[in-house]
Amino acid sequence: MVVASRRAVRVLRRTLTLGVLVVSAALAFAASATAATVGGGGGGASPSGFVIGDTNATIGTPVTFWGAQWWTANSLSGGLAPASFKGFANTPETPPSCGTNWSTGPGNSSGPPPAPLPELIEVTVASQITKSGPTISGDTQEVVVVKTNPGYAPNPGHAGTGTVVEVVCAIDSSGGGAT
């Protein structure tokens, strides 16, 4: 039988308590870091309803995500976008996610956000955009982070531009779902 002194038991309890606190703090830090880089999307980027074409979604590529000539500045593998689409999808109102569809109205009626935009925004990447009556809709093949340039205004005459800096998620073209 092992007999421990009261002092030894107190030291052991303090050591165990300190160890539990250190491990708890480490787990909390790891969870917040994971949420910021995985669940939170692009490492601190703000979700947005802006859209770019899938052939423009390469890291390092300058893009136009809002503007009167959005349809000429963006290429889609599924064909031309309607000229009335200016680059903002207002439904769903949640952050963009791969594999979802979205819809919006034409031009300014889509309700784009006020200026200025955050430095980093999450942008939907569409391969096809169609119009049926007053409703414009499209798919989400990828979500990327765009570093914005100054000059954006919620009027399509003031284009929103930037550079693709990160891929948040992408639809696996082999049919395996989002990555």
Side-chain angles (χ1 to χ4, degrees), residues 69-151:
Q69 299 300 312
W70 187 98
W71 69 284
T72 61
N74 285 272
S75 299
L76 290 78
S77 61
L80 289 175
S84 59
F85 182 61
K86 305 306 177 198
F88 186 77
N90 58 11
T91 304
E93 294 178 11
T94 58
S97 62
C98 287
T100 60
N101 293 326
W102 51 266
S103 63
T104 194
N108 276 19
S109 64
S110 61
L117 294 175
E119 178 184 16
L120 298 172
I121 59 173
E122 290 182 5
V123 175
T124 298
V125 177
S127 66
Q128 59 183 358
I129 300 174
T130 59
K131 183 176 181 200
S132 178
T135 303
I136 298 171
S137 57
D139 63 351
T140 305
Q141 291 296 309
E142 291 181 62
V143 176
V144 297
V145 174
V146 171
K147 183 177 188 304
T148 60
N149 296 329

Side-chain angles (χ1 to χ4, degrees), residues 23-49:
V23 169
S24 296
L27 290 173
F29 175 77
S32 67
T34 300
T37 58
V38 177
S46 298
S48 80

